[in-house]
Amino acid sequence: MINSRRVRRWTSNLMVGVVGLTVLIGILPLFLILGTLVVKGAGSLNLAFFLETPAPVGETGGGVAHAIVGTLLIVAVACLMGLPIGLAAGIHAAEFPGTRLSRATRFLADVMNGTPSIVVGVFAWTWVVARQGHFSGLAGSVALALLMIPMVMRTTEELILLVPNALREAALALGYSRWRTSLTIVARTALPGLVTGSLLAVARIAGETAPLLFTALGSQFMRTDVTQPMSALPLAVFAYATGPYEEWHRLAWASALVLILLVLFLSLLTRLATRSRFGSHE
Amino acid sequence: MTDWIPALEARGFGLSYGSSRILEEISFTVPTGSVAAIIGPSGCGKSTFLRSVNRLNDLVPTTSYDGDLLIEGVSVFRPDTDLVDLRLQVGMVFQRPNPFPKSIYENVAYGPRLNRLGSRKDLPTLVERCLQRAALWDEVKDRLHESAMGLSGGQQQRLCIARALANEPQVLLMDEPCSALDPIATQRIEELIFELKQQYTIIIVTHNMQQAARVSDSTGFFESGRLIEYGPTEQIFTAPTQDRTEAYITGRFG
């Protein structure tokens, strides 16, 4: 008896140790990446880096303000296109799960989720860049929106399904129409989760590089017109890192640091958004 | 009394989910301003019957029905029945308290605001009146804008009753409203039913025989989807005409 209990306790401790170790291994890359970026990039961060556009080749100084503005604009326009579609499709799929339409959307979203982002970029090139006749931030937004829709849709669907049926019945029994119930009660209850899902999708697409390469293209200048070629942080990292100059490499590290800080900031917002005021039914 | 129209009338009502028959040949009437209790063993179709009255069963895709249910003499199954209107007329309180994850005030105000009952200005008065009628006002008047999820189970259930009353329904359906509550909360709800009877017709499903005997004017005993016996509560509990009814209320089965 005593012996078997000791063995059990020992096994338990061993397993806890193994699990803890895998957690450490899992988060180690994050700290390695952050550490490297801070070591190599933080030195180049100053006010000018955020406020100025690139200096001519050969001169030091300059910044990536154009890429920061570009990323914000491209992502914002992508959200305008992608979020409403993704959220609406997700709510529909969860609220009317058995219909042919929702089964079709679910299948298509899974296929799109598995599509390499560069293929989505090619698609945006064919449909926007080729027709417009030139590269543009808008084309980049279209590509990012296409990546975003299936992600947002699937997370929305999962979260809407978590809303207890009792709440739907309560609303319907109070004389709410079906769509009002879905929007004012079900979606409202799932809202903190929906915000989280959306912000995570934004964080995901903000770092996408491949679909922007032949859509937004990149630019050396500050641009706020989305119909024109634009820079974005991932493009700046790519351009500077593959360039021949020492000064550019320095800018690449700093841009990468800014990009990852931006994504971390979004994740932090996500955590704050999940603290709902009224709690959930769980 | 030839033009006497009951609040609820079931005429040979039957219901199936797909190929399984849930309710068969249910016929009875509930006069306006009375409380009808529905008793019977689990799975006998009591709740299904209740959910047919406000057509909440429509959510189940394979539902089919025959016979008829009439509220104030009007069939709820007419092709032009507006479900929103029907559910405004027929309120419902569920087995488990299911307040919305909103403030106490919002829970009560939600129905009337959406359905544009009364003006926006009168809303606080209406909310207060409904909370008072549900015997909850004194407990929550200082925290109307706090989350309803912070209330106790009994308070939540009374909030759900207040929420249903805010729509000013004619008929109130209660599906085992006390089954998740302790005896004290149960007693409060029973007192409430007694008071509400002045203004509403109430149909209450309950597993608690004493409760049925205490609060109701008439009682129906359901078994296996059939209405075995229906009559004045006193008669059902003292001199039932059917053996099955007597066996059930004396606790010999179920």
Side-chain angles (χ1 to χ4, degrees), chain A residues 65-104:
Chain A
H66 66 309
I68 296 174
V69 169
T71 284
L72 293 179
L73 277 175
I74 291 173
V75 169
V77 174
C79 286
L80 284 182
M81 292 186 282
L83 283 181
I85 299 177
L87 288 170
I91 293 174
H92 175 267
E95 288 287 273
F96 302 93
T99 60
R100 191 170 297 177
L101 182 61
S102 69
R103 274 199 298 258

Side-chain angles (χ1 to χ4, degrees), chain A residues 165-178 180 184-185 188-189 277-281, chain B residues 51 54 56 59 84 87-88 90 92 94 98-103 110-111 114-115 147 149 163 167:
Chain A
N165 222 8
L167 277 187
R168 282 186 192 90
E169 290 184 342
L172 288 170
L174 278 179
Y176 285 44
S177 54
R178 196 69 203 273
R180 273 218 153 110
T184 62
I185 295 299
R188 178 65 191 74
T189 305
R277 193 152 75 95
F278 289 130
S280 67
H281 259 258
Chain B
R51 296 160 63 90
N54 65 353
L56 217 48
L59 289 179
V84 170
R87 288 164 184 168
L88 283 178
V90 183
M92 186 161 191
F94 294 82
N98 53 359
F100 301 130
K102 297 171 179 294
S103 73
Y110 227 64
L114 191 83
N115 299 306
S147 169
M149 310 312 289
R163 181 175 70 182
N167 270 345

Side-chain angles (χ1 to χ4, degrees), chain A residues 23-24 35 43 58 71 109 127 135 137-138 147 152 165 186 197 212 244:
Chain A
V23 169
L24 277 182
T71 284
W127 283 86
F135 297 101
L138 184 67
L147 286 171
V152 173
N165 222 8
V186 179
L212 295 181

Side-chain angles (χ1 to χ4, degrees), chain A residues 145-159:
Chain A
L146 285 172
L147 286 171
M148 196 174 189
I149 290 170
M151 278 189 269
V152 173
M153 187 213 140
R154 291 303 293 215
T155 46
T156 302
E157 186 190 356
E158 299 294 328
L159 289 159

Side-chain angles (χ1 to χ4, degrees), chain B residues 18-245:
Chain B
S19 58
S20 63
R21 193 74 174 152
I22 309 295
L23 294 170
E24 185 84 75
E25 280 290 317
I26 310 278
S27 296
F28 68 103
T29 57
V30 182
T32 303
S34 71
V35 177
I38 297 177
I39 57 171
S42 297
C44 68
K46 307 181 298 281
S47 293
T48 305
F49 176 79
L50 218 55
R51 296 160 63 90
S52 302
V53 180
N54 65 353
R55 289 189 53 186
L56 217 48
N57 280 330
D58 287 18
L59 289 179
V60 185
T62 55
T63 309
S64 61
Y65 34 73
D66 44 85
D68 210 348
L69 289 174
L70 299 93
I71 296 283
E72 310 278 341
V74 180
S75 167
V76 303
F77 296 117
R78 281 179 317 163
D80 62 334
T81 298
D82 183 350
L83 286 183
V84 170
D85 287 343
L86 173 67
R87 288 164 184 168
L88 283 178
Q89 208 179 354
V90 183
M92 186 161 191
V93 177
F94 294 82
Q95 186 169 358
R96 299 176 66 90
N98 53 359
F100 301 130
K102 297 171 179 294
S103 73
I104 294 166
Y105 180 90
E106 280 301 315
N107 262 279
V108 184
Y110 227 64
R113 182 184 290 151
L114 191 83
N115 299 306
R116 311 232 177 282
L117 300 173
S119 74
R120 194 162 284 261
K121 224 171 58 232
D122 300 334
L123 209 50
T125 329
L126 176 68
V127 169
E128 178 177 345
R129 199 169 66 230
C130 293
L131 285 170
Q132 251 159 7
R133 225 181 284 168
L136 189 61
W137 174 253
D138 291 335
E139 290 159 61
V140 301
K141 62 176 179 228
D142 298 323
R143 46 170 175 152
L144 286 178
H145 297 284
E146 286 173 31
S147 169
M149 310 312 289
L151 297 173
S152 73
Q155 289 172 326
Q156 286 188 2
Q157 192 64 306
R158 275 178 282 148
L159 180 64
C160 291
I161 294 175
R163 181 175 70 182
L165 297 182
N167 270 345
E168 289 168 359
Q170 283 141 17
V171 177
L172 196 56
L173 308 172
M174 301 181 118
D175 189 358
E176 297 182 48
C178 303
S179 66
L181 305 182
D182 68 41
I184 295 166
T186 301
Q187 195 194 342
R188 301 213 57 165
I189 302 237
E190 282 183 18
E191 287 163 7
L192 187 57
I193 293 171
F194 238 90
E195 278 164 38
L196 294 177
K197 190 162 85 163
Q198 323 287 331
Q199 266 171 302
Y200 306 91
T201 305
I202 297 172
I203 299 153
I204 178 171
V205 163
T206 177
H207 268 295
N208 182 327
M209 234 78 68
Q210 287 79 20
Q211 185 172 63
R214 279 193 300 263
V215 301
S216 69
D217 303 301
S218 56
T219 297
F221 170 57
F222 275 53
E223 192 188 2
S224 315
R226 287 173 179 277
L227 180 61
I228 306 296
E229 189 169 359
Y230 180 76
T233 298
E234 207 182 309
Q235 182 204 316
I236 297 284
F237 280 96
T238 54
T241 58
Q242 304 291 318
D243 291 343
R244 299 298 296 165
T245 314

